[in-house]
Amino acid sequence: MIRKILYILIAIVVLDIIFTVPYTVHQTERAVVLRLQNPIYEVTEPGLHFKLPWPINSVMKLDKRWLQYDDNPREIITADKKTMIVDTYSYYRISDGILYIGRLQTQAGANSRTGEIVYSEMRRELGQKSFENILVAERNTVMQNVSDAVEGPMANLGLDSLMVRVSTTELPDQNKASVYQRMMSERAQQAKTYRSEGEQKAMEMRADTDKQVTIIKSEAEMNAQKLRGEGDNEAARIYNEAYGKNPAFFRLYRGLLAAENTLGGGNVKFYLKGDEPQFDALFRSGNK
């Protein structure tokens, strides 16, 4: 009977060794070996490993991957005394399992401490910036500064921080109307300034255009007069040259022009005496 009991005890010990001494660590895991619930060493390489049997040693497996923590929206006051409701999320992973278990113990504890660290750094950073700069000009700078600032406190907890981002930013309902009204007033004033500057620029451009038009017209008129003078001189030269070839014809032609100018046009009839000297000279000159 005693021997049977001894065999049973030996079988229990062997089974305990078989089932509790070896353990497997997967690619996405890291394992911390605990002795009487106190961490003694950490295993980060995947594969089959061995430890002393329970209850002397036990194994706690931790996630090696990046974990996301989405914090609850919180109020933050900016440098220009505006209250913002900021909703942040962050990515972290366990870098030191022994430190993690000693200070945080669980993922819930890690999320809670991560949220506090991120909120503290976010409040400090946004407290130095105005509301408009946070929303427009310096949004990326704020995120980078907060991501850099949380790395040290997170490392003290056995965590690596990848980044911190803001998913949404809102105003409290009681502040939205006044802030929107002020922003619209500022934009209206800026638009008025732009319109005034545009009108001034347009007036300057129109004045310069009118000046250029006047200069161009003056130069064109001067060139036209010069060309007309040259044309008149050339016409006179051609006339003189043509008339010089037949002076008698020239005198007849001039007389006819004088008669036309004197008598006029239309259906008016004139009765002239034949002894008028100018016509006698005209027809005598035309007969030569």
Side-chain angles (χ1 to χ4, degrees):
M1 186 66 181
I2 295 175
R3 182 178 296 178
K4 186 177 181 180
I5 295 174
L6 181 61
Y7 288 156
I8 293 173
L9 291 176
I10 293 174
I12 292 173
V13 171
V14 171
L15 290 174
D16 181 66
I17 293 173
I18 292 174
F19 287 105
T20 62
V21 170
Y23 63 94
T24 302
V25 178
H26 296 286
Q27 292 283 351
T28 59
E29 296 176 332
R30 59 196 308 143
V32 177
V33 177
L34 307 174
R35 179 168 296 168
L36 302 178
Q37 301 304 314
N38 294 317
I40 53 176
Y41 67 90
E42 182 178 18
V43 177
T44 59
E45 294 297 325
L48 182 64
H49 300 273
F50 301 92
K51 62 175 178 58
L52 292 178
W54 185 87
I56 300 175
N57 284 358
S58 61
V59 174
M60 178 180 288
K61 294 182 180 180
L62 306 173
D63 201 326
K64 189 188 291 186
R65 296 168 295 184
W66 289 104
L67 305 174
Q68 178 181 347
Y69 173 62
D70 191 356
D71 198 2
N72 294 322
R74 304 197 192 192
E75 290 189 357
I76 295 177
I77 300 177
T78 63
D80 51 353
K81 306 306 179 183
K82 298 295 187 301
T83 301
M84 297 178 59
I85 300 177
V86 181
D87 189 0
T88 63
Y89 65 93
S90 55
Y91 287 93
Y92 70 90
R93 68 181 177 186
I94 300 170
S95 60
D96 189 327
I98 296 177
L99 192 59
Y100 173 86
I101 293 175
R103 298 190 176 183
L104 301 174
Q105 296 183 354
T106 63
Q107 185 173 344
N111 289 340
S112 177
R113 291 296 300 274
T114 298
E116 293 300 323
I117 292 171
V118 170
Y119 174 67
S120 176
E121 295 299 333
M122 186 69 71
R123 183 176 56 186
R124 180 187 61 80
E125 184 69 21
L126 297 184
Q128 302 173 1
K129 305 289 191 302
S130 67
F131 175 75
E132 292 187 11
N133 286 339
I134 293 171
L135 294 183
V136 183
E138 300 186 37
R139 184 182 181 92
N140 293 334
T141 302
V142 168
M143 294 299 97
Q144 187 60 50
N145 290 344
V146 173
S147 297
D148 294 340
V150 301
E151 289 182 356
M154 297 281 281
N156 293 333
L157 301 175
L159 303 174
D160 283 338
S161 176
L162 177 62
M163 64 178 181
V164 177
R165 291 292 182 267
V166 172
S167 56
T168 58
T169 54
E170 292 287 343
L171 291 170
D173 293 338
Q174 62 271 22
N175 295 346
K176 285 183 179 180
S178 61
V179 171
Y180 289 161
Q181 184 62 39
R182 182 177 61 83
M183 293 178 67
M184 286 189 292
S185 299
E186 291 177 353
R187 293 299 178 269
Q189 181 63 35
Q190 190 173 24
K192 183 178 180 180
T193 301
Y194 287 157
R195 283 194 295 269
S196 299
E197 293 176 352
E199 290 174 358
Q200 178 65 28
K201 190 67 175 177
M203 290 176 60
E204 293 176 359
M205 294 177 66
R206 283 194 292 268
D208 184 67
T209 301
D210 292 341
K211 178 181 177 182
Q212 295 298 325
V213 169
T214 302
I215 293 174
I216 292 172
K217 286 183 176 180
S218 298
E219 293 177 350
E221 182 63 26
M222 183 178 65
N223 291 333
Q225 292 179 0
K226 180 180 178 182
L227 292 174
R228 281 195 294 268
E230 294 176 353
D232 292 341
N233 291 335
E234 183 65 17
R237 185 189 65 78
I238 294 173
Y239 282 135
N240 291 332
E241 183 179 349
Y243 295 152
K245 293 181 179 181
N246 193 339
F249 176 77
F250 174 69
R251 285 193 298 273
L252 175 61
Y253 178 71
R254 293 295 298 272
L256 292 174
L257 290 178
E260 181 182 5
N261 293 331
T262 302
L263 298 178
N267 296 322
V268 180
K269 296 181 180 181
F270 294 89
Y271 296 92
L272 302 173
K273 298 180 179 181
D275 57 353
E276 293 293 332
Q278 61 269 30
F279 293 102
D280 182 66
L282 171 62
F283 291 111
R284 285 202 309 270
S285 63
N287 292 330
K288 290 182 181 180

